[in-house]
Amino acid sequence: MSPLITVPELESKLDDPNLLLVDCRFDLAKPDWGSSEYAQGHIDGAIYAHLNDELSSPVSSQTGRHPLPSAATFTATLQRWGLDENTRVVAYDQGNGAFAARLWWLLRAVGFEAVQVLDGGLAAWKSAGLPLTTATRERKASSLPARDFRDWLSTEQLEQALAACTITLVDARSPERFLGQQEPIDPVAGHVPGALNHPLTDNLQADGRFLPAETLRERWRRTLGGQAPQTLVSMCGSGITACHNLLALEVAGLPGGRLYAGSWSEWIRDPKRPVATGNSDQAAAFTHNA
């Protein structure tokens, strides 16, 4: 199954009883925006998933801004949604997939493979002239066993892997944030020493859809610099847009990357951890737009 689904493909499957359509719209600066927009109109049959409340766990003094939910809590969410072994999930957000990719990764990380992201999101759906609804549907709860998340690194594991030079750490934030030229969200600017920069925007066309697989493959091979995709660890500000890069790698046919779940906002919790700015470490500011 392709990790992406197009608007026409989704439209043709809306009557599939096994389809679970999840609206993941969110705004980091306005946490209630997505749920408000959902209430005003969404794709027929969609439920809403709140990034902070359902796709993350509460923040603590040691975590980043969007810690992974616990296995038990995430399983309870999936049960409430009615997900079972026959379910096919499609996630969408307002446009480029930055938030929908979080749900895609979470489901993949607990072993659920039948999940796709709507390419271009709700913006593409509306551009096609397709309708929205304010109606909601009740879903019958399901029973699922709890599964631990796989394919992610803690900060301790990341520090060990960096010291052993066994990973390729790639940061999905904008070049300005990566280089430490601006930091609108976190209290410290810069990046993890040794990281490379591959902004999520480098995965996208101007309309918010993903670039063709061949183009993505070329760009990601350039980022990897000859390293296997299985060495890649993806990070960002809080572990959200890092999932977008992992999704792009899947589209490109280069699977196997892992997530640094805590990302920059967790890395800087300890002032003893090193911080780099500018081009102070090898290849730090690599982007395709340079």
Side-chain angles (χ1 to χ4, degrees):
M1 180 181 292
S2 168
L4 298 177
I5 185 170
T6 66
V7 166
E9 289 170 338
L10 176 59
E11 184 188 16
S12 71
K13 292 175 172 59
L14 286 185
D15 292 330
D16 184 346
N18 292 320
L19 175 67
L20 173 60
L21 187 57
V22 186
D23 187 320
C24 300
R25 282 178 285 175
F26 197 76
D27 186 328
L28 292 173
K30 296 181 287 185
D32 294 328
W33 174 84
S35 57
S36 175
E37 289 293 304
Y38 170 83
Q40 294 177 49
H42 51 267
I43 300 175
D44 189 31
I47 62 171
Y48 182 72
H50 194 284
L51 175 64
N52 290 350
D53 299 340
E54 295 171 298
L55 307 185
S56 307
S57 63
V59 176
S60 77
S61 62
Q62 301 302 313
T63 69
R65 288 181 280 105
H66 291 103
L68 295 181
S70 70
T73 300
F74 188 58
T75 299
T77 296
L78 300 182
Q79 291 173 338
R80 188 174 70 254
W81 292 351
L83 186 143
D84 60 29
E85 66 276 4
N86 297 314
T87 305
R88 174 179 182 171
V89 178
V90 173
Y92 71 87
D93 56 29
Q94 54 263 49
N96 64 21
F99 299 106
R102 169 73 163 202
L103 178 57
W104 172 86
W105 185 88
L106 289 171
L107 288 169
R108 293 286 299 273
V110 295
F112 189 82
E113 300 292 330
V115 54
Q116 296 173 293
V117 169
L118 178 61
D119 196 14
L122 193 66
W125 182 269
K126 292 163 70 174
S127 292
L130 296 172
L132 301 180
T133 182
T134 58
T136 58
R137 300 182 192 176
E138 292 293 326
R139 294 188 60 88
K140 183 180 178 180
S142 63
S143 176
L144 288 173
R147 301 177 188 173
D148 290 329
F149 293 106
R150 63 191 187 195
D151 299 329
W152 68 280
L153 275 69
S154 66
T155 296
E156 180 181 6
Q157 290 170 324
L158 181 75
E159 290 176 308
Q160 293 170 352
L162 287 170
C165 300
T166 57
I167 62 170
T168 307
L169 183 61
V170 179
D171 193 319
R173 293 176 299 160
S174 70
E176 294 79 16
R177 291 184 68 196
F178 179 83
L179 295 171
Q181 296 170 348
Q182 60 176 249
E183 181 46 68
I185 302 175
D186 293 306
V188 178
H191 58 269
V192 177
L196 306 175
N197 188 213
H198 188 115
L200 74 89
T201 51
D202 276 6
N203 301 322
L204 299 166
Q205 303 178 68
D207 62 1
R209 292 179 174 87
F210 278 77
L211 290 162
E214 183 177 345
T215 304
L216 286 172
R217 189 157 48 247
E218 178 183 346
R219 290 189 172 194
W220 276 103
R221 282 178 172 161
R222 186 178 164 196
T223 296
L224 287 165
Q227 299 299 310
Q230 292 78 14
T231 69
L232 183 138
V233 174
S234 185
M235 68 169 290
C236 58
S238 64
I240 302 302
T241 58
C243 299
H244 194 278
N245 274 353
L246 294 170
L247 174 59
L249 283 157
E250 291 277 346
V251 176
L254 300 170
R258 292 172 290 169
L259 175 70
Y260 171 32
S263 283
W264 181 247
S265 55
E266 183 168 306
W267 180 266
I268 60 175
R269 287 288 195 181
D270 185 346
K272 295 179 182 178
R273 295 188 188 115
V275 170
T277 57
N279 294 310
S280 57
D281 51 308
Q282 183 180 5
F286 172 82
T287 72
H288 297 280
N289 297 320

